[in-house]
Amino acid sequence: DTAVSQTPKYLVTQMGNDKSIKCEQNLGHDTMYWYKQDSKKFLKIMFSYNNKELIINETVPNRFSPKSPDKAHLNLHINSLELGDSAVYFCASSQDPRGPTEAFFGQGTRLTVV
Amino acid sequence: AQTVTQSQPEMSVQEAETVTLSCTYDTSESDYYLFWYKQPPSRQMILVIRQEAYKQQNATENRFSVNFQKAAKSFSLKISDSQLGDAAMYFCASGGATNKLIFGTGTLLAVQP
């Protein structure tokens, strides 16, 4: 059983398109995240949701819109894709929103904008 | 603001030897955790070890152990009896009450047979 799963694993698309990445966790966690890993391997948080509510938005362009239909799912929709959006996007989840706990990561989605 | 610094972009170790990866951090939070994550070529982020800041005892997980120096804000990872499968990018991270992880820039570890 995959704990945190993302689809698709690879996504190649043209500039200006709109795309979505889906994420699901079966760990029963309340908190889910999106992280971005750039070409230099630097990882940075983008969003955090707790039980379907947005709790962290790290000054991400509003072309990026997360959506959480329920606490087990957190999708990322990106409008008007730009070359600079090319990166690996990781979904993650953790158990306790009140305190620091380790995050469990999905396998990542490599987005390439051409 | 939290920051995590890994000053070694690359390290190399012989198989069966021991290697230590360095990490320093800065945080204003009183309650925080520290983590080491491993990212092999498969891209998966794998938790290696975690340390609660309030615990004085250094965490260990089989061949992996940490040297946590709270006053110095240092959190190094020691890998004993290195194996070829240990070759990966290693990220140090800190997590506080905001429940987001702040990552260092990573150390690429090569294991020589």
Side-chain angles (χ1 to χ4, degrees):
Chain A
D1 278 346
T2 303
V4 182
S5 61
Q6 299 176 226
T7 54
K9 288 186 181 179
Y10 299 93
L11 186 53
V12 180
T13 188
Q14 291 188 326
M15 279 174 52
N17 283 351
D18 302 338
K19 290 293 179 185
S20 293
I21 306 172
K22 295 186 177 182
C23 179
E24 176 182 6
Q25 56 97 0
N26 62 6
L27 297 166
H29 290 167
D30 286 330
T31 306
M32 295 184 72
Y33 313 81
W34 281 107
Y35 284 84
K36 179 181 180 180
Q37 186 174 40
D38 63 23
S39 59
K40 296 186 177 177
K41 301 287 188 181
F42 185 61
L43 270 155
K44 189 171 184 217
I45 191 164
M46 300 173 69
F47 300 104
S48 171
Y49 268 73
N50 175 242
N51 203 11
K52 302 192 297 178
E53 288 192 27
L54 179 68
I55 54 175
I56 294 175
N57 180 342
E58 289 285 311
T59 60
V60 177
N62 57 15
R63 296 182 296 105
F64 291 78
S65 53
K67 284 187 173 53
S68 182
D70 55 62
K71 74 173 194 177
H73 295 83
L74 180 62
N75 303 322
L76 183 65
H77 188 75
I78 316 170
N79 289 327
S80 304
L81 278 155
E82 300 176 357
L83 292 177
D85 297 332
S86 296
V88 179
Y89 292 85
F90 284 96
C91 177
S93 72
S94 66
Q95 187 170 9
D96 190 349
R98 297 165 299 172
T101 59
E102 66 262 35
F104 294 82
F105 284 80
Q107 70 272 47
T109 296
R110 181 177 293 281
L111 172 64
T112 303
V113 183
V114 297
Chain B
Q2 294 183 57
T3 59
V4 177
T5 302
Q6 293 179 250
S7 58
Q8 305 155 317
E10 297 181 12
M11 292 282 285
S12 182
V13 63
Q14 291 291 127
E15 202 174 359
E17 297 293 309
T18 295
V19 65
T20 298
L21 308 184
S22 301
C23 173
T24 57
Y25 65 93
D26 195 10
T27 179
S28 55
E29 307 217 28
S30 57
D31 184 16
Y32 58 93
Y33 283 31
L34 298 165
F35 307 91
W36 279 98
Y37 279 88
K38 169 185 178 182
Q39 187 178 39
S42 67
R43 205 170 68 206
Q44 180 72 48
M45 292 289 289
I46 302 164
L47 178 68
V48 174
I49 198 164
R50 79 173 203 176
Q51 173 81 43
E52 293 91 334
Y54 63 86
K55 287 188 177 178
Q56 292 186 339
Q57 187 172 5
N58 289 326
T60 62
E61 286 287 341
N62 301 313
R63 298 183 294 108
F64 299 86
S65 61
V66 298
N67 183 3
F68 175 44
Q69 302 289 327
K70 192 171 183 178
K73 295 185 177 178
S74 170
F75 183 62
S76 60
L77 175 70
K78 185 170 84 170
I79 307 174
S80 304
D81 186 25
S82 297
Q83 300 175 359
L84 295 177
D86 294 334
M89 182 75 89
Y90 286 82
F91 291 96
C92 179
S94 72
T98 57
N99 215 25
K100 65 181 181 183
L101 291 176
I102 304 297
F103 286 90
T105 49
T107 296
L108 183 61
L109 178 67
V111 180
Q112 308 299 331

